[in-house]
Amino acid sequence: MEIGILGLASSGKSTLFSLLTGQEVGQTGRRDSAVMGIARVPDDRLERLSEMFNPKKKTAATIQYVDVPGISAEHGRDSSLNLPELRTMDALMVVVRAFSSDNVPHPMTSIDPVRDLEHIEEEFVLQDQIIVEKRLERLTRDLARRRSKDLEVEQILLKRCLAVLEEGRALRSEVFDAAEQKLLRGFTFLSSKPLLAVINLDEADAGVDPSIDEAYKDWLEGPNVAMTAVCATLEGELAQLDAEDSAAFMEDLGISDSALTRVIEESYSLLGLISFFTVGEDECRAWSIPRGTPAVEAAASIHSDIQRGFIRAEVVAWDELLDADGFAVCRQRGSLRLEGKTYIVGDGEVVHFRFNV
Ligand SMILES: Nc1nc2c(ncn2[C@@H]2O[C@H](COP(=O)(O)OP(=O)(O)OP(=O)(O)O)[C@@H](O)[C@H]2O)c(=O)[nH]1
Ligand SMILES: [Mg+2]
């Protein structure tokens, strides 16, 4: 799963990308290409299971982030939104600047995170509108030449999209049924992708939750939208410290949890992902699957052989396994269940697949 990091110039995208992925981006201001990196999803449950099994290897779930060059402050002037990489992203993360700094110029001069968010949303809407209009023109021409039920259906759907976009609304705010979603998928509309707004705060405001701010209310109401806040420079400083010092520093500042962890967790849930675990002396590992995935497809995320030869899944909740201190007691207690192919794997379940190929 991939999330594109977008925003106006100098909003802190690359700083945040480096902190999330541990990967340096180098110079700011590059406008031509995107940079990919991988973030490990922090998961206390995996830590606890690993303490129990003491495996040779511990593997966390991951999310890919892509640092995209800054969006222009002028409408319709964007090259970075035309990057092909962006089209295949599963979600978009928009970093908006709320920090003030005399050393870092803001492309719109004043600091106004809500305005910046709106500007970027308008840009998504504009880009999608261009695509819809082009396609509609084409459809009108084709339909004048020959009748086609499929093309008519597409035309009706796209006209509906155009009406939404002309109102300045993102397509993610509209409900489409499964067939419509399938038809729209190929267009890879930016405004239909789930969106995580990350407000990059001043050091002094670290720990403030922007979702309680009235100014963002309109933003938070929509479906497939999430919001969180970080102070990127502060997180950078925290990352330099060892665990003990960083905990003490956080206490001084009155912040209880790492904002970076929150960004990753918000990303994860926005993508609709959950984790199941496989455990053993060789490896304890968290696997990402979309919520609602049946066991046989969860097996496929590990290996196609396990899917092909699927017999049964042995399933137990992570905390029950921990509480029982091993599978043997789970079996006695009946908390270890045998499930079939269609069983929907739940978040935090430890799964052992029995298969035969
Ligand atoms: N004071 C302060 N400065 C920050 C913060 N986050 C980023 N900066 C600074 O802002 C400048 C731009 O940060 P980048 O992370 O390069 O911003 P960017 O969005 O990647 O910029 P472009 O790629 O040029 O669009 C750098 O000098 C950062 O050190 C913050 O939370 N507080
Ligand atoms: Mg950058």
Side-chain angles (χ1 to χ4, degrees):
M1 285 285 186
E2 249 183 354
I3 297 190
I5 305 181
L6 299 168
L8 292 178
S10 306
S11 58
K13 299 179 294 298
S14 300
T15 308
L16 199 54
F17 171 83
S18 300
L19 288 165
L20 289 168
T21 63
Q23 192 175 310
E24 288 300 323
V25 180
Q27 250 180 315
T28 59
R30 32 185 318 182
R31 309 208 59 84
D32 50 343
S33 64
V35 183
M36 204 272 280
I38 291 170
R40 260 187 251 115
V41 179
D43 193 332
D44 191 46
R45 301 168 300 184
L46 179 65
E47 301 304 321
R48 303 277 299 278
L49 288 167
S50 300
E51 279 164 21
M52 180 173 158
F53 286 90
N54 202 13
K56 295 193 193 89
K57 205 169 148 202
K58 178 177 75 184
T59 311
T62 57
I63 297 182
Q64 289 183 22
Y65 287 100
V66 179
D67 185 31
V68 178
I71 294 174
S72 161
E74 278 172 69
H75 276 308
R77 285 195 148 248
D78 265 304
S79 51
S80 65
L81 285 184
N82 292 323
L83 288 174
E85 294 98 316
L86 212 54
R87 295 279 157 191
T88 57
M89 299 281 136
D90 300 292
L92 303 175
M93 174 169 132
V94 174
V95 181
V96 285
R97 172 170 170 181
F99 71 85
S100 44
S101 164
D102 293 338
N103 304 324
V104 183
H106 189 296
M108 293 192 192
T109 58
S110 62
I111 307 296
D112 185 345
V114 176
R115 173 205 58 204
D116 294 356
L117 258 178
E118 275 165 8
H119 174 85
I120 290 159
E121 183 85 312
E122 281 163 20
E123 203 55 53
F124 293 158
V125 167
L126 202 67
Q127 298 284 337
D128 288 351
Q129 205 175 327
I130 292 169
I131 294 172
V132 172
E133 279 168 353
K134 266 200 198 134
R135 179 65 189 155
L136 277 172
E137 263 172 41
R138 181 78 202 255
L139 283 171
T140 311
R141 254 185 292 140
D142 289 354
L143 280 167
R145 251 182 275 135
R146 66 182 174 96
R147 286 208 54 176
S148 151
K149 190 83 195 97
D150 286 351
L151 294 187
E152 277 166 17
V153 169
E154 189 184 339
Q155 189 183 41
I156 292 166
L157 179 61
L158 286 182
K159 278 185 177 165
R160 199 177 127 206
C161 291
L162 187 60
V164 171
L165 294 165
E166 279 175 344
E167 277 174 38
R169 280 197 293 133
L171 290 172
R172 80 177 89 75
S173 67
E174 188 76 1
V175 180
F176 296 104
D177 66 30
E180 291 167 337
Q181 282 176 29
K182 193 165 167 234
L183 245 175
L184 292 178
R185 204 164 297 146
F187 292 102
T188 61
F189 293 124
L190 293 174
S191 82
S192 70
K193 294 183 191 290
L195 182 137
L196 173 62
V198 177
I199 316 295
N200 193 3
L201 299 168
D202 255 329
E203 277 88 334
D205 294 331
V208 173
D209 177 4
S211 66
I212 54 172
D213 192 324
E214 275 292 302
Y216 296 110
K217 213 178 107 262
D218 287 348
W219 272 93
L220 287 163
E221 278 171 355
N224 290 316
V225 177
M227 179 178 279
T228 188
V230 297
C231 172
T233 43
L234 186 69
E235 292 296 327
E237 286 164 28
L238 283 169
Q240 307 287 324
L241 304 174
D242 62 33
E244 204 176 306
D245 288 346
S246 127
F249 190 27
M250 274 164 69
E251 205 184 321
D252 283 348
L253 293 162
I255 38 182
S256 52
D257 56 347
S258 155
L260 288 179
T261 303
R262 223 163 44 228
V263 169
I264 298 175
E265 284 169 356
E266 289 286 353
S267 306
Y268 208 64
S269 69
L270 187 69
L271 291 168
L273 297 175
I274 59 166
S275 300
F276 74 89
F277 305 101
T278 51
V279 294
E281 281 163 17
D282 282 333
E283 188 182 33
C284 284
R285 179 162 181 172
W287 302 84
S288 300
I289 46 170
R291 189 176 288 285
T293 301
V296 69
E297 279 171 38
S301 66
I302 300 177
H303 201 286
S304 57
D305 280 353
I306 308 181
Q307 177 185 34
R308 228 160 11 97
F310 185 101
I311 300 169
R312 281 266 184 278
E314 290 181 297
V315 182
V316 60
W318 75 277
D319 47 349
E320 285 177 21
L321 177 60
L322 221 64
D323 187 60
D325 199 28
F327 287 104
V329 176
C330 286
R331 267 191 203 97
Q332 282 166 18
R333 291 182 181 173
S335 56
L336 187 76
R337 289 166 284 127
L338 275 178
E339 303 285 0
K341 284 185 178 179
T342 56
Y343 171 75
I344 303 296
V345 177
D347 189 33
E349 287 180 339
V350 176
V351 184
H352 176 73
F353 292 103
R354 289 201 201 153
F355 68 106
N356 187 6
V357 280

